Amino acid sequence: MMTMKDIAEALGVSVATVSRALSDSPRISEAQRKRIQQYAREHNFSPNVLAESLRHSKVKPVKIIGVIVPELVHYYFSTILKGIEEEADAHGYRIMVAQSGERYEREVRLCQSFYENKVCGVIVSQAKDTKRYEHFQRLIDAGMPLVFYDRICTGVNASRVVVDDYMGAYNAVTHLIETGCRRIAYFGSPMTLEIAKNRFNGYKDALLRHGLPFNERMTRICDTRQDAEVITPDLFDGDTYPDAFFAVNDDTAIGILYTVKRMGLRVPEDISICGFTNGERAISCDPMLTTVEQRGMRVGEEAANVLIGHVEGRLPLDHAEKRIVRTRLIIRGTTR
């Protein structure tokens, strides 16, 4: 990344002159200011906002990792964040956290902001509607370490830490089948997300492996509690209806649970339900939710460990490290 010192050496001026020109100081000539500013623009120079603020404070500069989460309200992302922070702290790093709010445009701005603040690396889970990846590639091209967690971007060659989504879903659906379920519905996220593809494939393969037909009518794009409460009754309108649901996350599963109970169905006697997360809500519903535990703390620790490995040179920047955190099925009262 270009610094003010690089600009000064290229133009044969002092660093102080470059600094004054970039801050539009009248202490140097207008011609000199324009010359320096034009050179900075042409070479995509970004001022180190963080370093500048620390330079004028009595606070000792710290090593900072930028972290982007889709939404802080989700239990899973908050546990990942805790894991990142604890691992970073153990190595003398601090974290700067921002949420994309599941919006591509905000995610792009956050990447640019982290670059301008000269964080030592970025850990990110991409937003649901992200379909273009130039903002991630720009960080990589600038030599900034980048690590994806949970929702990975297959469009760029970067390190990643994920859970075994496929096997987690496969084992969950196998449990439903082994406890007598034969018409298992699937509520999942949009297939633009790699985790959605992996969980759907685990669901589908479990059906086929146990000799059960795949019925497209039993699948829906639905990954929130609100949508689950609206969509679930639709699956009971025909002659063939589910005797079980596998949901992409716990909130969706809980939406299914409360909806079928309002419809007068018994859980798990009439309908079995399995989620994916194992957050606090899984044990606050009645009956308590059978779910796949994602181990968010471990995901966060591994993501921070990989990022720090890149920063400190233990892992080459041109090597995409890939780590998988194993899931486990937690059986509770919503399955037989």
Side-chain angles (χ1 to χ4, degrees):
M1 299 181 192
M2 176 164 286
T3 65
M4 284 192 285
K5 183 178 178 181
D6 296 328
I7 298 174
E9 290 177 351
L11 298 180
V13 297
S14 68
V15 174
T17 298
V18 173
S19 177
R20 292 187 183 111
L22 295 177
S23 61
D24 228 16
S25 171
R27 294 177 63 183
I28 58 175
S29 69
E30 182 179 355
Q32 185 76 296
R33 288 202 308 271
K34 288 183 177 179
R35 173 174 172 249
I36 293 170
Q37 290 171 1
Q38 181 177 351
Y39 185 88
R41 282 194 301 271
E42 289 174 351
H43 291 80
N44 298 315
F45 171 76
S46 295
N48 191 334
V49 179
L50 182 62
E52 187 66 22
S53 64
L54 290 172
R55 190 177 299 117
H56 297 291
S57 75
K58 296 181 180 179
V59 179
K60 183 180 179 180
V62 292
K63 297 175 287 187
I64 295 180
I65 298 169
V67 182
I68 300 176
V69 297
E71 288 186 313
L72 284 168
V73 295
H74 289 300
Y75 171 85
Y76 181 54
F77 290 127
S78 66
T79 58
I80 290 175
L81 191 58
K82 183 178 181 182
I84 292 172
E85 185 169 31
E86 291 192 1
E87 183 72 10
D89 183 66
H91 289 83
Y93 290 75
R94 297 293 179 266
I95 65 174
M96 181 185 294
V97 183
Q99 58 178 338
S100 67
E102 301 286 17
R103 300 196 303 275
Y104 164 78
E105 294 82 3
R106 180 167 172 76
E107 185 178 83
V108 172
R109 292 197 301 272
L110 290 174
C111 286
Q112 179 64 22
S113 176
F114 281 149
Y115 173 76
E116 291 174 356
N117 281 280
K118 300 298 187 290
V119 297
C120 61
V122 176
I123 300 174
V124 57
S125 180
Q126 73 174 56
K128 282 183 184 178
D129 65 350
T130 295
K131 298 180 180 65
R132 297 173 57 188
Y133 313 115
E134 295 92 339
H135 53 304
F136 297 137
Q137 190 61 52
R138 281 196 293 269
L139 295 180
I140 295 172
D141 292 344
M144 180 170 286
L146 179 67
V147 177
F148 289 98
Y149 66 92
D150 189 52
R151 302 178 190 168
I152 64 173
C153 172
T154 57
V156 297
N157 186 35
S159 293
R160 59 197 61 179
V161 178
V162 297
V163 300
D164 56 342
D165 292 294
Y166 174 88
M167 285 307 302
Y170 182 91
N171 292 335
V173 176
T174 295
H175 167 68
L176 293 171
I177 295 169
E178 290 177 345
T179 53
C181 302
R182 293 295 178 268
R183 301 181 304 278
I184 303 168
Y186 173 82
F187 280 11
S189 296
M191 289 299 181
T192 53
L193 297 174
E194 198 68 17
I195 62 169
K197 297 175 186 176
N198 291 336
R199 293 178 194 179
F200 175 74
N201 288 335
Y203 157 79
K204 190 174 180 179
D205 286 354
L207 294 180
L208 299 177
R209 174 66 178 80
H210 292 85
L212 297 179
F214 168 70
N215 184 348
E216 191 170 351
R217 185 184 175 277
M218 291 282 187
T219 68
R220 294 287 190 280
I221 299 300
C222 175
D223 59 5
T224 68
R225 175 173 178 168
Q226 292 79 6
D227 287 347
E229 292 181 1
V230 173
I231 293 172
T232 299
D234 294 344
L235 274 73
F236 292 87
D237 281 345
D239 296 331
T240 302
Y241 52 85
D243 59 5
F245 286 82
F246 172 62
V248 73
N249 57 47
D250 285 356
D251 281 353
T252 302
I254 292 170
I256 297 167
L257 170 63
Y258 280 92
T259 301
V260 298
K261 286 173 68 176
R262 285 198 304 269
M263 294 170 62
L265 297 167
R266 299 170 300 165
V267 178
E269 293 84 357
D270 301 322
I271 301 288
S272 290
I273 302 169
C274 182
F276 206 114
T277 299
N278 195 34
E280 293 178 353
R281 295 175 185 176
I283 58 174
S284 62
C285 55
D286 181 27
M288 290 191 289
L289 185 67
T290 293
T291 186
V292 178
E293 184 178 44
Q294 287 182 272
R295 301 175 63 202
M297 273 281 292
R298 185 63 181 165
V299 171
E301 290 167 355
E302 289 288 346
N305 184 267
V306 171
L307 191 284
I308 293 168
H310 284 310
V311 171
E312 297 183 352
R314 295 190 303 276
L315 295 173
L317 276 177
D318 59 358
H319 168 71
E321 182 79 2
K322 300 175 183 178
R323 297 187 186 178
I324 298 175
V325 175
R326 301 299 175 190
T327 57
R328 63 172 180 153
L329 182 64
I330 308 297
I331 300 172
R332 298 194 181 100
T334 57
T335 56
R336 302 166 195 166

